[in-house]
Amino acid sequence: MNEFDLIRRFFNRPPADGTVRLGVGDDAAVVTTTPGHELLLAIDTMVEGRHFFADAPPATLGHKILAVNLSDMAAMGAVPRWALLSGSLPDNDPAWLAAFSDGLFALAECHGVSLVGGDTVHGPRSFTLAIAGEAPAGAALTRAGAQPDDDIWVSGTLGEAALALAAMQHQIALDPLLLPVLRARLEMPEPRVGLGLKLRGLAHAALDVSDGLIGDLGHILTASGVGAEIELSRLPCHPALKALLDGASRPLALQCLLAGGDDYELCFTAPPAARKTLVALSRELMLPLTRIGAITAAPRLIVLDEQRQALPTLPAAYNHFPNR
Ligand code: ADP
Ligand code: MG
């Protein structure tokens, strides 16, 4: 199977809709954009040994490289539409490629996204996916715009992916029945695209939590020129993680909750007047939305513990290039 057979067999599937005039097979894809809309563009890379284990199930890798990009579209309130995939592959194992592309296309179909092109090279395993989405002109959600006295909300639960990773790296022993549940959060994140669309016109600022709540909320605070006070006891998490908070593993539990990566939940701010609407939205989407604190005028981030004392130090977010 040569490069072109491989592309035809595993990455050339019919587009999701009529917006794709020309997809895989030419020098560039040609798509039709919606009048009155803006394009939103994002890209993410996953490298073996850094973002995934060499023995990770290939279907989960296909899912995740798209999911992390969909999460960026969700954070901006965009409708995801077109994707480009660049893959560096150590071999052309058909079983591996079939599982990878099935994982990718299953999620693409759920969200009406068309894979319109890409690049395929021989090398150490890594993937880069670029995505394009649309939003009505001026409607995209950004990290700027949070205002003092806004509520701070997060979707879903936090820290489970990081807890799964800690267990897989033998930093902690977990109930063997629990591990698959947590591992699914790490390997098969569910991007909150529907929520992002509903937050247009409602949220003042939003982002997706991919590198840990503290660091990512910090990006909203910096972009908006404000501060925040959040409460540890309000952070939505799995009961198993909650239990760890009260025991000897509290430092690890805090790390997972506040700075664990790979949550792919949305964190957003909204005025208190939006509370009723957001509670109704949570029910409609069958997705927990939790108010975890408030935006302050003073530009610092305070995390209150269970006794309402400020945590003296906050765990640091993951950084590919830490200051030395
Ligand atoms: P070019 O050399 O003109 O850049 P390529 O030979 O790399 O084109 O690719 C041939 C076609 O297959 C192009 O349309 C490209 O977008 C598409 N393609 C290549 N790799 C992938 C991939 N992994 N997924 C989807 N489409 C791909
Ligand atoms: Mg090429």
Side-chain angles (χ1 to χ4, degrees), residues 15-265:
D17 54 38
T19 61
V20 181
R21 190 150 76 71
L22 207 48
V24 171
D26 216 307
D27 289 308
V30 184
V31 301
T32 311
T33 54
T34 308
H37 284 55
E38 290 172 321
L39 274 182
L40 290 98
L41 307 166
I43 190 166
D44 258 300
T45 295
M46 286 174 25
V47 175
E48 182 174 299
R50 177 62 60 189
H51 300 94
F52 59 90
F53 297 114
D55 61 355
T60 67
L61 297 180
H63 175 98
K64 190 165 175 178
I65 189 63
L66 179 57
V68 301
N69 279 281
L70 289 174
S71 184
D72 286 326
M73 293 289 106
M76 302 294 291
V79 178
R81 294 218 182 273
W82 311 288
L84 296 164
L85 172 69
S86 177
S88 172
L89 304 168
D91 56 55
N92 61 359
D93 175 5
W96 197 98
L97 283 161
F100 176 89
S101 76
D102 284 350
L104 185 128
F105 280 104
L107 185 63
E109 272 159 34
C110 283
H111 291 277
V113 169
S114 302
L115 184 67
V116 297
D119 197 20
T120 306
V121 301
H122 186 212
R125 203 181 301 284
S126 76
F127 308 99
T128 298
L129 190 138
I131 196 158
E134 292 184 311
L141 297 167
T142 70
R143 297 173 176 192
Q147 292 168 23
D149 299 326
D150 272 2
D151 294 323
I152 303 170
W153 298 77
V154 290
S155 65
T157 52
L158 299 173
E160 284 153 34
L163 186 57
L165 185 61
M168 290 162 81
Q169 293 174 330
H170 307 290
Q171 292 171 36
I172 187 165
L174 291 178
D175 180 344
L177 289 175
L178 193 60
L179 187 58
V181 178
L182 300 180
R183 208 174 139 171
R185 292 297 313 268
L186 176 68
E187 294 182 334
M188 299 281 283
E190 204 183 315
R192 306 304 188 190
V193 176
L195 172 61
L197 294 177
K198 294 282 189 174
L199 290 180
R200 289 201 305 229
L202 201 54
H204 284 160
L207 52 51
D208 70 319
V209 182
S210 55
D211 296 325
L213 176 69
I214 292 300
D216 285 331
L217 176 57
H219 296 316
I220 288 184
L221 304 184
T222 304
S224 303
V226 292
E229 192 170 282
I230 63 173
E231 292 177 49
L232 191 58
S233 59
R234 285 176 172 261
L235 299 186
C237 70
H238 193 283
L241 189 49
K242 199 121 203 159
L244 291 179
L245 268 181
D246 296 327
S249 297
R250 181 174 171 88
L252 176 71
L254 281 176
Q255 177 74 28
C256 289
L257 254 184
L258 294 172
D262 279 333
D263 288 314
Y264 300 108
E265 296 296 348

Side-chain angles (χ1 to χ4, degrees), residues 30 80 96 267 276 278 322:
V30 184
W96 197 98
C267 175
K276 262 204 177 128
L278 287 164

